[in-house]
Structure formats: structure tokens, C-alpha cells
Amino acid sequence: GESVGLHLPTLSVQEGDNSIINCAYSNSASDYFIWYKQESGKGPQFIIDIRSNMDKRQGQRVTVLLNKTVKHLSLQIAATQPGDSAVYFCAENLPPSKIIFGSGTRLSIRP
Amino acid sequence: DGGITQSPKYLFRKEGQNVTLSCEQNLNHDAMYWYRQDPGQGLRLIYYSQIVNDFQKGDIAEGYSVSREKKESFPLTVTSAQKNPTAFYLCASRKGTEAFFGQGTRLTVV
């Protein structure tokens, strides 16, 4: 069925290093993909999205890469900071409006 | 301030009772969503609505019901038919590609 999954459930990164969070998806019909950040006890916050006709998009300290050949999505966070500690979810939109989430990766930052 | 509001933040109910979770948005968004999140898990889609008076089942709709009589409101009823209703419930509305989430309602059924 439709699914969005993640390769790594937890990721520990040294402060100042770059973080890479990966995601696999299974539905070729998805027209865009989104990364969300969720802090404990709160609702997810939008980070960045990418349309299916793109392979790279950059934001402030974040870059999302999309490889449709292998159905893989990644989020790169540059110069990781303590405030980046959270659970990160990828999600895909199945047209017209069905947004499906993956299982999440917890990012922890080592001082 | 514009936003999406879920109430209450914490809710306790006895087993066998129906309970309705509120979700209100003043962002003028057409699409709204309900997700369920269990501890250490991702978000699973319960129901979504693309426009007023219309809604579709998500992946785990059994034991839940919704209505969309107004653009601003998308209440979720957790019925007694839901086998394991204790969870964190998240509502969202969407503009373009960005979904805006409420702060969630933590439902505990005892």
C-alpha cells in the first residue's frame, strides 16, 4: 500500500556538524514531499518541501534532495545546533490532497 | 492571531464513551486533516477534508467520524468502536504545500 518510511530511527550528531536524515517512499504518484520537525508534545512544523519535478531545493541551513529513480528523499541540516534536536518526519502528498507521513527520525545533538 | 486551535489539550474519558475533539482554524484554508500519533510513532491519517461538506477516509478511519459543516471547523469524534483510542491527536489545515498543525489533544481512555 501507500507508505513513507525512514532508514534510521535515531541519529546522533556532533554540534556544528552536518546532519543527514533519510527517507524512502513507495508511491510514484506523489506530487510533492515535505519535511517536518516535531518537538516533544507539540505539533509538527513545516521545514521545507520539494515538488516531484525537482531534485534539489535549498532553504535556510537545510537542503532537501529527491531521487525519484530509487524513491529516496533526504534532509540535510548544515552546522547542526542544539535547537535542531527533535523528531523529523518526511511526508508525501498523493494528489489531490492526501498527505501521508513516515515514521520519523529522532535527531540528538552532542555538545 | 491566525492559527489552528485544538481543544482541549488533555482529555480523559471512560471506556465505551464517545468523545469529540475540536479543531478550529481562522486561516481560511480549504483542506483540513486529522492524524493520530502513538508514542514513538509517526502520524497516521484518520480523515481529511478538501472542502466544506466533503471528507475522505484516511488509512485508519475505523472507529472515528468527522463532519465539515463550516470551513473553519473539522471536529473528530472518537467512538466506542475504536479499539485503542488512547493517543495524541493532531489536526492540520493546508495552504498550498504547507500544512499547519495545531498543538494536539492527548486523549486518555480509562
Side-chain angles (χ1 to χ4, degrees):
Chain A
E2 302 146 351
S3 67
V4 176
L6 292 168
H7 295 305
L8 298 173
T10 59
L11 179 65
S12 179
V13 175
Q14 189 78 32
E15 183 178 349
D17 287 352
N18 296 338
S19 302
I20 300 176
I21 301 171
N22 295 302
C23 176
Y25 66 95
S26 60
N27 201 308
S28 299
S30 295
D31 59 356
Y32 67 91
F33 304 86
I34 321 103
W35 281 100
Y36 287 90
K37 173 185 180 182
Q38 186 179 29
E39 296 174 326
S40 182
K42 296 183 179 180
Q45 291 178 289
F46 174 91
I47 302 172
I48 192 169
D49 63 6
I50 186 168
R51 292 200 175 271
S52 59
N53 60 357
M54 301 170 67
D55 54 20
K56 181 179 180 179
R57 191 172 185 209
Q58 289 185 292
Q60 187 177 10
R61 274 203 311 122
V62 295
T63 301
V64 57
L65 300 178
L66 176 63
N67 185 332
K68 293 183 288 294
T69 302
V70 295
K71 294 192 176 73
H72 184 267
L73 190 67
S74 70
L75 177 71
Q76 301 178 11
I77 303 173
T80 309
Q81 303 168 359
D84 295 328
S85 292
V87 177
Y88 290 80
F89 294 98
C90 65
E92 60 181 327
N93 183 74
L94 299 173
S97 301
K98 188 176 184 181
I99 301 175
I100 304 295
F101 278 72
S103 56
T105 293
R106 182 174 300 280
L107 177 64
S108 64
I109 312 303
R110 302 192 303 273
Chain B
D1 288 347
I4 182 163
T5 303
Q6 291 186 243
S7 61
K9 189 171 183 178
Y10 299 96
L11 190 56
F12 295 86
R13 277 295 182 271
K14 290 184 177 180
E15 191 173 345
Q17 290 181 335
N18 291 355
V19 59
T20 297
L21 282 58
S22 170
C23 179
E24 303 280 330
Q25 55 101 356
N26 59 5
L27 300 167
N28 201 35
H29 293 168
D30 287 317
M32 296 186 74
Y33 302 78
W34 273 106
Y35 293 88
R36 169 187 172 132
Q37 187 173 32
D38 293 288
Q41 302 293 317
L43 282 67
R44 291 185 288 167
L45 182 62
I46 305 172
Y47 268 98
Y48 63 109
S49 168
Q50 296 178 74
I51 199 167
V52 175
N53 293 321
D54 181 60
F55 50 82
Q56 290 80 38
K57 292 182 179 180
D59 298 324
I60 56 163
E62 185 175 352
Y64 299 98
S65 66
V66 293
S67 63
R68 188 81 189 278
E69 297 176 2
K70 299 187 298 181
K71 190 175 188 177
E72 302 79 17
S73 180
F74 191 39
L76 173 74
T77 297
V78 184
T79 76
S80 57
Q82 167 51 232
K83 302 299 183 190
N84 186 19
T86 295
F88 188 47
Y89 290 88
L90 286 157
C91 178
S93 67
R94 195 188 78 170
K95 179 179 181 180
T97 60
E98 184 172 350
F100 296 81
F101 281 84
Q103 291 302 298
T105 292
R106 193 167 298 279
L107 173 65
T108 302
V109 176
V110 296

